[in-house]
Amino acid sequence: MILILAVTCAVAVGNIYFPQAIGPLVAAGLHVSPDSAAAVVTATQVGYTAGMVLLVPLGDRLPHRSFLVVLLALTGLALLAAGCAPALPALIAASTLVGLTAVGAQIVGPLAVGLVAADRQGAVIGTLLSGSTGGMLLARTFSGTLGEWLGWRAPYLIAAVLALLLATVLAFAVPTTTPSSRQRYTALLAEPLRLLRTEPNLRRSCFYQATVFAGFSAVWTCLALLLAGPTYGLGAQAVGTIALVGAATMVCTPLAGRLVDRYGPDPVNLVCLLGVLVSAAILTLGARGGALGLTSLTLGTLLLDTAMQSGMVANQVRVYALRPDARSRLNTAYMTCAYLGGSTGSWLGIHVWSQAGWWGVCVLVALLAALALGRHLRAMYAPGASTASATLFRQPVSTASQPTPTPPGGRSPRTR
């Protein structure tokens, strides 16, 4: 069951990222400029951010199985529409719908945690994060290679088939669960905003991830333009190959989790933000082209991916420790801010690229990381910061508010 849910995370997250590798192919196929075609990536991420705000809170209100099946079915239909889009406006509209409904990975987490005993929840969350990371990285390779062979429509159509097949599997494989909240929809929507107002550690975690993810999105949105341009003259498959190297981050995130458990989130966040700054410096060498440029792009994106994912582990540990009884709503606030940052980063990246090229994109990444680093250093060395952090992570974790699933047969999974 956990393996199926990890695959669900991979497919859902992969649908957000695979358009990044086929931007030049979309531009050529629809006879538009590469800058215009990059709007597809931004539209998908904007849709995903909207889904975080409008749909994820319903995970506390609706049965997980039916909610996941409906989301995946709608994603499959939106992907079909994107693959058959006759022009760029239709593709942008369909991509927005893909992003809106591809929030299944954010529903899977609370479901999976409720299916296992308390002493296995950390391992399950790590497995799901690996699935999400694998989907994010491998989707670029899949779409870039397939797009080169069969055209830009093929990745959309095959992704649609995968989403619809997975919806069918989940309809039979996922056990029935009981919703944990009976709040009205409007109340569910308002709660993440209230948490942002009242929880300063939530706000700073959101700021860290939003700035780092903005730089991450700017790099990957513009990388396809750099490789397809006159400096390299390569195709979409080159983007996928570089992304494949980033699969090493699937090994780094469990290590980051153990370091957070031992030292706390703040030191890990510090190392991650410094890693983003170093990656920006390495990536600037990519503007030179040739073997040195390709090596720099590979190493720089690997370090950037590792720092971003490890920082997410640290931030989520900090966020989840704030209110164990409101983790879904905290996660909605946190992930919404993160993906707002990603959407903004894609938009900023395209505009900076058009004005200053690859050097400008790297400077943008460095500036964003410097903003987060400055905020983080103030938080770490503020009077009383160490005491407050220690108190926070000594709090016992309550599981009273977690939903208890009711699998077929009526037995609780905690008694198996």
Side-chain angles (χ1 to χ4, degrees):
M1 169 57 61
I2 299 302
L3 178 60
I4 294 174
L5 294 177
V7 171
T8 302
C9 290
V11 171
V13 172
N15 287 330
I16 304 299
Y17 289 98
F18 80 77
Q20 292 179 341
I22 59 173
L25 299 177
V26 171
L30 295 179
H31 308 291
V32 298
S33 69
D35 289 359
S36 298
V40 172
V41 176
T42 302
T44 306
Q45 292 180 339
V46 168
Y48 191 81
T49 304
M52 286 293 307
V53 175
L54 300 175
L55 298 181
V56 170
L58 288 173
D60 290 333
R61 186 71 175 81
L62 301 175
H64 289 127
R65 180 173 65 186
S66 58
F67 194 25
L68 276 174
V69 169
V70 170
L71 285 175
L72 280 168
L74 291 175
T75 300
L77 294 175
L79 287 165
L80 282 174
C84 298
L88 184 61
L91 177 58
I92 291 175
S95 297
T96 303
L97 292 177
V98 169
L100 181 69
T101 57
V103 293
Q106 306 304 326
I107 308 300
V108 165
L111 166 63
V113 167
L115 294 176
V116 298
D119 58 355
R120 290 189 56 212
Q121 290 177 1
V124 167
I125 292 173
T127 301
L128 297 180
L129 181 59
S130 294
S132 297
T133 303
M136 179 179 64
L137 298 174
L138 299 179
R140 299 191 189 104
T141 303
F142 156 79
S143 63
T145 302
L146 194 64
E148 288 280 354
W149 290 347
L150 301 176
W152 71 268
R153 298 182 188 273
Y156 281 100
L157 297 177
I158 292 179
V161 172
L162 287 175
L164 294 173
L165 285 175
L166 191 57
T168 303
V169 171
L170 292 179
F172 295 96
V174 175
T176 302
T177 58
T178 302
S180 61
S181 174
R182 295 187 178 276
Q183 284 185 294
R184 294 178 301 171
Y185 179 58
T186 53
L188 290 172
L189 291 182
E191 184 68 8
L193 291 175
R194 189 188 68 80
L195 290 169
L196 279 169
R197 289 196 304 270
T198 59
E199 299 288 351
N201 277 316
L202 173 61
R203 290 196 300 273
R204 72 181 181 105
S205 296
C206 291
F207 182 71
Y208 300 160
Q209 198 62 33
T211 51
V212 172
F213 196 44
F216 174 88
S217 298
V219 165
W220 280 104
T221 300
C222 297
L223 183 61
L225 301 176
L226 174 66
L227 293 177
T231 303
Y232 291 96
L234 299 175
Q237 189 172 358
V239 182
T241 302
I242 291 177
L244 186 60
V245 177
T249 59
M250 297 174 66
V251 179
C252 296
T253 47
L255 173 61
R258 290 194 292 271
L259 291 174
V260 171
D261 289 339
R262 183 172 182 179
Y263 299 108
D266 282 350
V268 175
N269 264 138
L270 177 61
V271 173
C272 292
L273 293 173
L274 291 173
V276 175
L277 281 173
V278 174
S279 74
I282 295 173
L283 286 169
T284 58
L285 299 176
R288 297 186 176 185
L292 174 62
L294 280 176
T295 301
S296 300
L297 291 176
T298 302
L299 294 177
T301 53
L302 175 59
L303 179 57
L304 179 62
D305 285 9
T306 301
M308 191 273 289
Q309 293 288 346
S310 299
M312 178 171 284
V313 173
N315 287 321
Q316 285 186 319
V317 169
R318 185 189 296 108
V319 167
Y320 288 152
L322 297 174
R323 287 274 306 275
D325 62 318
R327 284 176 176 155
S328 292
R329 287 161 285 177
L330 288 165
N331 191 49
T332 297
Y334 171 74
M335 294 302 296
T336 299
C337 292
Y339 277 91
L340 278 172
S343 302
T344 303
S346 294
W347 180 82
L348 283 175
I350 290 299
H351 284 268
V352 171
W353 167 269
S354 64
Q355 298 295 322
W358 184 249
W359 287 89
V361 174
C362 296
V363 170
L364 172 65
V365 174
L367 288 175
L368 290 169
L371 287 173
L373 182 61
R375 173 69 180 85
H376 187 53
L377 291 175
R378 288 198 302 274
M380 285 185 68
Y381 296 108
S386 300
T387 302
S389 178
T391 302
L392 175 64
F393 288 98
R394 283 199 302 266
Q395 290 177 352
V397 176
S398 170
T399 58
S401 63
Q402 295 178 353
T404 301
T406 306
R411 296 181 60 194
S412 169
R414 302 184 192 278
T415 62
R416 291 176 184 169

